[in-house]
Amino acid sequence: RKEVEQDPGPFNVPEGATVAFNCTYSNSASQSFFWYRQDCRKEPKLLMSVYSSGNEDGRFTAQLNRASQYISLLIRDSKLSDSATYLCVVKPGGYQKVTFGTGTKLQVIP
Amino acid sequence: ETGVTQTPRHLVMGMTNKKSLKCEQHLGHNAMYWYKQSAKKPLELMFVYNFKEQTENNSVPSRFSPECPNSSHLFLHLHTLQPEDSALYLCASSQESGGAPFFGPGTRLTVL
């Protein structure tokens, strides 16, 4: 089983739609979780951290389910500018490196 | 300059050339990384430096040679590369080793 798994997509959604991505991780000792966004031919950029109780940043909501070992990202009222690849990132405790998923591609269409 | 900068942004080299990629971080971070991103593959961690000391080398071929003279600068020396080494090479830094990395814009490398 891969350390971090994501559905590669693409997810094609109309503007204004709500879309959700899931990401599963295999290491039950993982302690920190993040979502990154990567635009075509650009570097990944930190979108948001994922906290145990769930957290929201504008139209974006991130949630963590430790029992089932997955995190999710919900995007409400999708904009054309949300089109990108969304990378799930998982970090074990201490000084161990983060692990990136392969990413989920989102295409918001007019 | 702010954040993480990388030079050059694009590089085309032959298999017999020697070149170096440069990275500089202006964030006061203690850890620096080299990642490789090939088409349709996940990010691959190549090297980790923590307080200038190399703490991880993920079985990277010796034709890639990193150098970290201080906590703000990181180099990747390249020699006798193969065409399959063509990829986007991303430098990143984080406050501590294992923290969420902050990426530079990358160097898009093409090996002919």
Side-chain angles (χ1 to χ4, degrees):
Chain A
R1 182 180 175 186
K2 290 182 182 176
E3 288 185 71
V4 180
E5 288 200 70
Q6 293 184 254
D7 181 341
F11 284 57
N12 296 312
V13 302
E15 265 187 294
T18 295
V19 61
F21 312 131
N22 279 344
C23 163
T24 58
Y25 60 94
S26 60
N27 185 351
S28 59
S30 298
Q31 295 195 2
S32 301
F33 309 87
F34 311 92
W35 282 104
Y36 277 69
R37 170 196 170 125
Q38 186 172 23
D39 292 288
C40 188
R41 302 181 73 81
K42 296 285 185 71
E43 75 274 23
K45 293 184 178 177
L46 179 63
L47 179 65
M48 59 196 300
S49 301
V50 185
Y51 301 122
S52 297
S53 55
N55 48 298
E56 192 174 302
D57 183 1
R59 297 180 293 109
F60 297 83
T61 300
Q63 292 193 311
L64 167 63
N65 185 319
R66 285 193 184 274
S68 301
Q69 294 182 207
Y70 75 84
I71 66 172
S72 64
L73 178 68
L74 181 80
I75 305 175
R76 290 182 300 278
D77 188 23
S78 299
K79 312 290 185 191
L80 295 176
S81 57
D82 294 334
S83 298
T85 296
Y86 291 83
L87 302 168
C88 168
V89 180
V90 174
K91 177 185 178 307
Y95 293 103
Q96 296 184 64
K97 67 185 192 314
V98 299
T99 300
F100 282 81
T102 53
T104 297
K105 186 171 182 179
L106 171 66
Q107 185 69 47
V108 181
I109 50 183
Chain B
E1 291 275 19
T2 58
V4 180
T5 57
Q6 288 187 245
T7 55
R9 297 292 306 278
H10 300 271
L11 178 62
V12 179
M13 58 188 288
M15 289 191 284
T16 58
N17 292 157
K18 287 184 181 181
K19 297 286 184 183
S20 295
L21 309 185
K22 179 183 175 183
C23 173
E24 184 173 359
Q25 61 98 357
H26 310 268
L27 300 167
H29 288 166
N30 298 318
M32 295 188 78
Y33 313 82
W34 280 115
Y35 283 87
K36 174 184 177 182
Q37 190 173 39
S38 306
K40 301 191 187 301
K41 284 188 174 182
L43 278 165
E44 300 172 51
L45 179 63
M46 300 174 73
F47 302 104
V48 180
Y49 278 82
N50 196 31
F51 291 99
K52 305 190 302 177
E53 300 299 321
Q54 187 180 124
T55 57
E56 193 159 337
N57 174 341
N58 279 345
S59 303
V60 180
S62 59
R63 56 186 184 270
F64 294 91
S65 173
E67 179 190 357
C68 188
N70 55 60
S71 294
S72 299
H73 294 85
L74 187 62
F75 296 89
L76 188 62
H77 304 299
L78 316 171
H79 64 98
T80 58
L81 294 191
Q82 305 298 311
E84 60 264 29
D85 296 323
S86 299
L88 179 67
Y89 288 85
L90 291 157
C91 174
S93 68
S94 64
Q95 183 59 45
E96 77 284 349
S97 180
F102 189 98
F103 287 90
T107 295
R108 189 158 298 277
L109 173 68
T110 302
V111 182
L112 301 176

